[in-house]
Amino acid sequence: MRKFIIFWATLLASLSLLLPSAQSSEGFAISEGITITQITKNTFVHSSDNNNGLIYISGKEALIVSTPQTDRQTQDLIDWITQEKHVKIVGYVIDRWHPDAMGGLAAVHANGIPSYAYVRTQQIAQQKGLPVPQQAMDERAIIHVGDQTVECAFLGKAHTEDGIVVWLPNEQVLFGGNEIRNYKGWVGNIGDANLKDWASTARRIKDLYGSARIVIPGHGPFGGAELIEYTIDLFSPFSNQINDAPRPDLSDLLDQRAVIVVKASESSEDGDIKIFKDATILSSDATKYVRIEAPVVRWNIKTNRVDSAKGHLAIFDKTPGRAVLRASAAYTKLIVIPVNEQVGLAVIVKAMTPD
Ligand SMILES: [Zn+2]
């Protein structure tokens, strides 16, 4: 009888781990803005502003993936792990060059923790004058933590051209980073994305790690391997997009920045917000233009943030003398925000349909 009960207890425990429905356990706050959620005995998700990273502990050692936005938050995270878990942080993996993944890198280095990143991330950080991850990894790399291993893999361009995923073989946990989207959440910052390659990159992730029990996206609730499938479906329509849609002549605007109103049937003001109707507006940074055509566009003249509830979006790469269309799509809910001089424009959409 006792054996039977133990059997059922084990079965129930494993069943609850197999359930694909996300975020069963509630997280707890360790400092202002940082939440920790335990997902397996040795694995934790750290979240700040809906932005996820991973903590993996094996024996007396720990590895962290992805920093919060700031040095302060990253220091809080490092302090919690060393003081509460009594482990040594043997490495910090940076999974992409965006500020929501390496904004706290200076704090990592100040603590003498070695940082690892895909070689392309290191190059981009250098080019952009950002703090540079110390150890360059190849497309596939193994890091030892305690008596376990962690696998880092670059499987193609997606959310950025350098994003990696991190696999914990002993836990069957995949940190998908921003290559994997949370279910029905925002599509995220597509300002630096390769929408055309994204689905095939996600397919490679599925081929290698489709057996994952838990998949953690870069933002929002975690789930199971169905999140990989969801991401493939989300970006498949872009795989064959032919980027030859008509475009305005941008040649005389090549050096401009911030927001340019190309046309609008009507404009009004509400404090710092300018509201344009039936508008075409351009926003640009050092490497790209974003063209928005929408019934209503709101532009904050102080922050240069642009908001629109629905409309059409096109992203162009700036190349000498002309602009080359990278992707175009209809969207619902769009935000364009200048992040900073180095990082450029973040283009965040809720949902989109390619032309
Ligand atoms: Zn990002």
Side-chain angles (χ1 to χ4, degrees):
M1 186 61 194
R2 184 140 177 268
K3 233 182 192 163
F4 183 73
I5 292 167
I6 291 169
F7 170 76
W8 271 107
T10 317
L11 184 69
L12 284 175
S14 32
L15 272 180
S16 66
L17 286 172
L18 284 170
L19 284 176
S21 63
Q23 214 108 3
S24 47
S25 40
E26 278 293 301
F28 53 95
I30 58 158
S31 73
E32 209 179 327
I34 300 187
T35 304
I36 303 276
T37 308
Q38 183 161 15
I39 56 167
T40 72
K41 186 166 167 281
N42 306 307
T43 316
F44 303 81
V45 172
H46 65 82
S47 307
S48 42
D49 308 316
N50 202 36
N51 172 33
N52 299 329
L54 188 72
I55 303 162
Y56 182 47
I57 296 174
S58 173
K60 287 274 142 210
E61 295 188 346
L63 183 91
I64 319 178
V65 181
S66 211
T67 78
Q69 289 264 8
T70 67
D71 290 331
R72 177 69 258 163
Q73 290 173 313
T74 305
Q75 186 61 51
D76 289 344
L77 181 64
I78 291 168
D79 289 347
W80 180 79
I81 294 166
T82 46
Q83 289 160 21
E84 298 297 320
K85 294 285 153 190
H86 310 287
V87 291
K88 183 174 192 267
I89 302 166
V90 294
Y92 211 117
V93 172
I94 298 301
D95 61 298
R96 61 188 187 275
W97 68 267
H98 274 175
D100 54 352
M102 56 171 250
L105 187 56
V108 174
H109 294 160
N111 285 270
I113 300 167
S115 58
Y116 299 82
Y118 176 45
V119 61
R120 188 73 194 110
T121 306
Q122 211 188 36
Q123 289 163 354
I124 296 170
Q126 244 145 17
Q127 283 162 7
K128 292 190 174 279
L130 302 168
V132 179
Q134 294 160 341
Q135 316 273 339
M137 297 191 288
D138 292 332
E139 292 189 359
R140 302 287 285 278
I142 300 282
I143 301 173
H144 294 266
V145 188
D147 58 2
Q148 296 300 331
T149 55
V150 169
E151 197 174 309
C152 303
F154 171 78
L155 296 167
K157 297 174 181 181
H159 164 76
T160 53
E161 58 169 294
D162 66 324
I164 60 167
V165 299
V166 179
W167 172 240
L168 309 179
N170 207 47
E171 311 290 323
Q172 299 287 295
V173 168
L174 178 72
F175 179 74
N178 270 0
E179 277 43 73
I180 300 298
R181 305 311 317 180
N182 64 304
Y183 187 61
K184 292 199 169 161
W186 287 71
V187 177
N189 175 7
I190 53 159
D192 301 306
N194 187 315
L195 297 171
K196 212 174 162 69
D197 288 2
W198 201 323
S200 55
T201 299
R203 250 178 237 116
R204 269 175 235 123
I205 296 172
K206 187 187 166 190
D207 289 346
L208 281 173
Y209 308 119
S211 65
R213 227 157 33 84
I214 298 172
V215 174
I216 303 149
H219 298 276
F222 56 84
E226 76 283 352
L227 291 185
I228 307 177
E229 202 64 52
Y230 170 72
T231 304
I232 294 171
D233 291 347
L234 194 61
F235 295 105
S236 287
F238 289 92
S239 298
N240 300 314
Q241 195 181 17
I242 301 159
N243 291 346
D244 63 352
R247 55 182 182 252
D249 181 15
L250 303 171
S251 51
D252 52 338
L253 299 167
L254 279 176
D255 295 323
Q256 302 230 20
R257 290 205 163 211
V259 176
I260 303 152
V261 181
V262 179
K263 78 170 181 61
S265 69
E266 212 183 302
S267 80
S268 56
E269 265 165 62
D270 178 7
D272 291 338
I273 314 284
K274 279 187 180 285
I275 302 156
F276 298 98
K277 292 206 171 138
D278 303 317
T280 301
I281 74 163
L282 290 172
S283 189
S284 75
D285 64 19
T287 61
K288 63 184 171 287
Y289 290 103
V290 178
R291 186 189 64 202
I292 300 150
E293 294 162 303
V296 182
V297 180
R298 300 163 65 87
W299 167 34
N300 185 316
I301 52 168
K302 285 241 170 81
T303 62
N304 275 320
R305 175 183 160 132
V306 172
D307 281 87
S308 163
K310 69 165 198 220
H312 186 270
L313 160 79
I315 301 176
F316 302 85
D317 283 326
K318 280 183 182 175
T319 53
R322 66 197 201 103
V324 177
L325 183 67
R326 180 138 57 87
S328 61
Y331 61 79
T332 56
K333 285 188 192 159
L334 164 123
I335 306 167
V336 181
I337 338 166
V339 183
N340 64 39
E341 279 295 302
Q342 286 83 22
V343 176
L345 287 178
V347 182
I348 302 161
V349 288
K350 174 86 184 171
M352 58 182 173
T353 324
D355 293 333

